[in-house]
Amino acid sequence: MISIDGSLIRGLVLAAGMALAGVSVFEPMVMTQKAQAQEDDGEEDGKEDEKKKPGENGEGEGEGGEDDLGWTFKAKTNRAMLLWGDAGGGSFAGPPAPELGFGNQRQRGVRFVDNSNDNSGAEAEYKFPIANGWTGTIKFGLDAMYARSDFVDQFDRDGDGTVVELKDSLFELGHDRFGKLIVGLGDSASDGTTDLNLAYSNFVADAEVSNWNDSFFLRTAGIGLTPLRWGDFFAGPDVGDSGKFVKYVTPKFMGFEAAVAVGQPMEVLLFTKSPLLVEEHVNGLLTDFGIKYFRRWGDFLVRAGFGIFRNTTEEHDAEEPTEDTGIGGSFAVMHLPTGLNIAINHAVTRHTDKCIEPGIVTGKCRGEDEFTYVKGGVVK
């Protein structure tokens, strides 16, 4: 039985209010699946809402046109109701139970969260002409989150509370024939290559499974909750990162678009439990390469991606070196007349063999992180 408390009631009231306010906004935007597939420019659906009219082969046209110049403002909210249940019995085994004062914790509950799969936020973009077909773009983006879905657990309703993160702060120099040079805070080249699909559901869930329950504690039979969290065992699409990068993106050609980047991972939290927090990596560099493909073949739509990276950067308080290398990709296909679709995502990440604390069971350093994710269904 799911217990209903004040937090749940407030969440339902807020969700209902948001739904009523959003009906007039979203109703005119409804389109058929086939039309949406034809207009998609190949970016991750649900995370990029810029649509450009494609040609017959599914390639975007009209990029860099005069209609795109000037200011563009966007905002979104993505709150979610998260229901959890972990059948079993027993009491909490080991810390942090003594500090929390819980014994046999309830096995079901509800959390009203900000969906970490596609956070609430806003962005502002200004695009202006330079000369001879060159354009400049300045972009700023913020993620504004309360009770992120990957931070709450069986004991904690709001996770790390309210967080405002500077997601993008960059300058882009672009040309239709020569591509784009991007400098500043943003995504690296291979980021987003291992979680592509054509189900048009990324704003709800995709291959980043850890966004659903990363911080929840595991319950074992006969013991109950343990100090181990689901995030300790998940291997997600860990290819690419966000931070301060210099990135080059090629023009689209025959459905392909490639990118290469070099820089360091970094997070800038403008508001959290402290007023300003910059989580910066030092020393080495993260270098990566990514390529994406999006094209229509008759009645079929095909999307694919491939990424590879090497990361030698370290956090300020790191006790062991970082020597991460990763490779991964995605392949998705949809039959447009029926909406039948399937996607396969796979990636492997290798770590340093000079760890400070080898595993208790194996006596060795952390091995490879590997994941395979398959999504299929019908979209109508």
Side-chain angles (χ1 to χ4, degrees):
M1 178 178 180
I2 298 176
S3 61
I4 299 179
D5 53 24
S7 175
L8 174 58
I9 295 174
R10 290 192 296 272
L12 288 170
V13 173
L14 179 58
M18 289 166 56
L20 290 173
V23 167
S24 61
V25 177
F26 288 102
E27 187 173 7
M29 298 175 65
V30 175
M31 61 178 67
T32 66
Q33 176 62 36
K34 183 174 181 180
Q36 185 174 8
Q38 290 175 335
E39 292 190 13
D40 194 296
D41 69 346
E43 298 292 338
E44 296 175 72
D45 83 274
K47 296 184 180 179
E48 293 288 342
D49 59 356
E50 295 181 3
K51 308 295 181 184
K52 299 181 178 63
K53 294 180 180 179
E56 293 181 358
N57 291 325
E59 292 185 272
E61 294 179 352
E63 289 189 59
E66 293 184 1
D67 292 342
D68 297 330
L69 299 178
W71 284 100
T72 302
F73 298 94
K74 301 176 184 177
K76 61 183 178 182
T77 181
N78 194 8
R79 301 291 294 175
M81 194 71 69
L82 188 156
L83 290 78
W84 60 269
D86 52 358
S91 60
F92 195 95
E99 292 80 5
L100 295 174
F102 285 96
N104 189 10
Q105 173 69 357
R106 63 179 183 177
Q107 299 170 13
R108 298 178 179 85
V110 178
R111 299 285 183 262
F112 188 62
V113 299
D114 208 290
N115 189 347
S116 294
N117 203 69
D118 190 18
N119 294 317
S120 302
E123 68 178 53
E125 180 180 294
Y126 179 64
K127 187 173 183 178
F128 55 94
I130 298 178
N132 300 321
W134 290 95
T135 60
T137 303
I138 300 172
K139 181 179 178 181
F140 293 94
L142 297 175
D143 280 346
M145 304 156 282
Y146 173 70
R148 289 188 285 181
S149 56
D150 56 343
F151 275 75
V152 301
D153 58 45
Q154 291 97 325
F155 302 98
D156 194 343
R157 294 183 177 279
D158 62 358
D160 55 350
T162 301
V163 175
V164 178
E165 179 181 356
L166 180 62
K167 192 66 175 177
D168 295 297
S169 178
L170 55 85
F171 172 75
E172 175 186 306
L173 180 66
H175 193 285
D176 287 346
R177 290 177 56 193
F178 305 113
K180 298 179 289 186
L181 180 66
I182 305 170
V183 180
L185 184 67
D187 295 329
S188 68
S190 62
D191 195 47
T193 57
T194 55
D195 59 353
L196 300 175
N197 66 79
L198 288 166
Y200 296 93
S201 59
N202 279 2
F203 67 95
V204 177
D206 64 7
E208 297 190 65
V209 181
S210 58
N211 283 333
W212 310 347
N213 61 351
D214 191 65
S215 295
F216 275 80
F217 295 98
L218 276 74
R219 184 186 295 273
T220 61
I223 297 178
L225 294 178
T226 73
L228 301 174
R229 300 177 187 262
W230 283 102
D232 296 330
F233 297 91
F234 276 138
D238 191 18
V239 175
D241 212 328
S242 59
K244 49 186 180 182
F245 292 101
V246 176
K247 180 168 68 172
Y248 170 72
V249 183
T250 68
K252 289 186 175 73
F253 177 73
M254 299 292 290
F256 289 96
E257 182 182 73
V260 60
V262 59
Q264 294 179 328
M266 183 172 70
E267 284 185 309
V268 180
L269 305 180
L270 302 178
F271 181 84
T272 179
K273 294 180 179 178
S274 57
L276 175 63
L277 177 63
V278 179
E279 297 181 355
E280 188 173 11
H281 289 220
V282 295
N283 298 324
L285 291 172
L286 187 154
T287 56
D288 68 342
F289 168 81
I291 185 169
K292 293 181 180 179
Y293 177 81
F294 179 77
R295 199 169 178 86
R296 179 173 176 177
W297 292 81
D299 287 337
F300 292 89
L301 201 63
V302 178
R303 172 176 289 166
F306 171 80
I308 184 171
F309 82 98
R310 183 174 187 269
N311 183 16
T312 59
T313 65
E314 301 170 3
E315 297 181 0
H316 285 283
D317 56 352
E319 297 181 355
E320 61 185 38
T322 301
E323 295 178 6
D324 292 346
T325 58
I327 185 171
S330 306
F331 178 80
V333 62
M334 169 182 281
H335 184 236
L336 292 172
T338 63
L340 284 168
N341 67 94
I342 189 169
I344 301 175
N345 310 134
H346 181 77
V348 178
T349 303
R350 299 178 177 87
H351 307 280
T352 180
D353 58 358
K354 301 175 182 177
C355 60
I356 302 299
E357 297 182 3
I360 297 176
V361 177
T362 64
K364 299 179 181 179
C365 295
R366 179 180 178 181
E368 295 180 347
D369 290 337
E370 182 175 3
F371 93 101
T372 300
Y373 182 84
V374 179
K375 174 187 284 189
V378 181
V379 178
K380 287 291 186 182

